[in-house]
Amino acid sequence: MKKSEFLQIIAIIRNNYNNFLFDDLKEALWFDLLKDLPDGAGLANVRRHIMTSKYPPTIADIRQQAEVNHYDQLRIQTAERFAEMERWKQEAVPLPEHLIPKSLTRGDDS
């Protein structure tokens, strides 16, 4: 997460939860604990939280959403990779006979 995204998150939380304050220490702590999130994930998670909860988000709320999103993203990427591998298998050209070791050819009893 970039610092600019984090500042947007703080602004969104401040504007939607009037009694939620960020001092310099709290801001530094939150950024330190959220900075490893993928770009865009923290902002999306805060927006989702605001739409579903009347209480301000905690660091754990924001991270938990990211972990769920990350799992879904990995699941989708894995399915796409398996589909790509299947396409490769279907499109593969057989190895020329002269390159196949004799020990691997069918009917070789030696």
Side-chain angles (χ1 to χ4, degrees), residues 9-25:
I9 289 171
I10 290 175
I12 290 170
I13 294 172
R14 282 180 177 153
N15 287 326
N16 286 279
Y17 302 102
N18 295 331
N19 60 346
F20 197 76
L21 304 174
F22 277 95
D23 58 19
D24 291 341
L25 180 62

Side-chain angles (χ1 to χ4, degrees), residues 6-108:
F6 178 70
L7 294 175
Q8 282 183 294
I9 289 171
I10 290 175
I12 290 170
I13 294 172
R14 282 180 177 153
N15 287 326
N16 286 279
Y17 302 102
N18 295 331
N19 60 346
F20 197 76
L21 304 174
F22 277 95
D23 58 19
D24 291 341
L25 180 62
K26 188 176 198 176
E27 186 175 318
L29 175 64
W30 274 54
F31 182 66
D32 184 54
L33 296 175
L34 294 174
K35 67 184 175 189
D36 64 322
L37 293 178
D39 288 342
L43 192 55
N45 296 338
V46 168
R47 289 174 189 249
R48 186 176 305 111
H49 181 86
I50 287 171
M51 290 188 285
T52 60
S53 178
K54 62 183 178 179
Y55 301 105
T58 64
I59 293 169
D61 291 330
I62 297 170
R63 292 199 65 85
Q64 183 178 26
Q65 288 287 344
E67 289 169 10
V68 169
N69 291 342
H70 184 66
Y71 170 77
D72 289 340
Q73 181 182 12
L74 288 176
R75 187 177 49 78
I76 291 167
Q77 288 173 344
T78 301
E80 289 171 351
R81 185 61 163 188
F82 278 125
E84 184 178 32
M85 290 169 60
E86 186 59 34
R87 278 194 311 276
W88 292 343
K89 182 178 175 184
Q90 297 300 322
E91 296 170 1
V93 176
L95 189 62
E97 291 288 329
H98 68 279
L99 295 177
I100 300 174
K102 293 190 190 287
S103 61
L104 297 178
T105 58
R106 290 185 182 189
D108 186 18

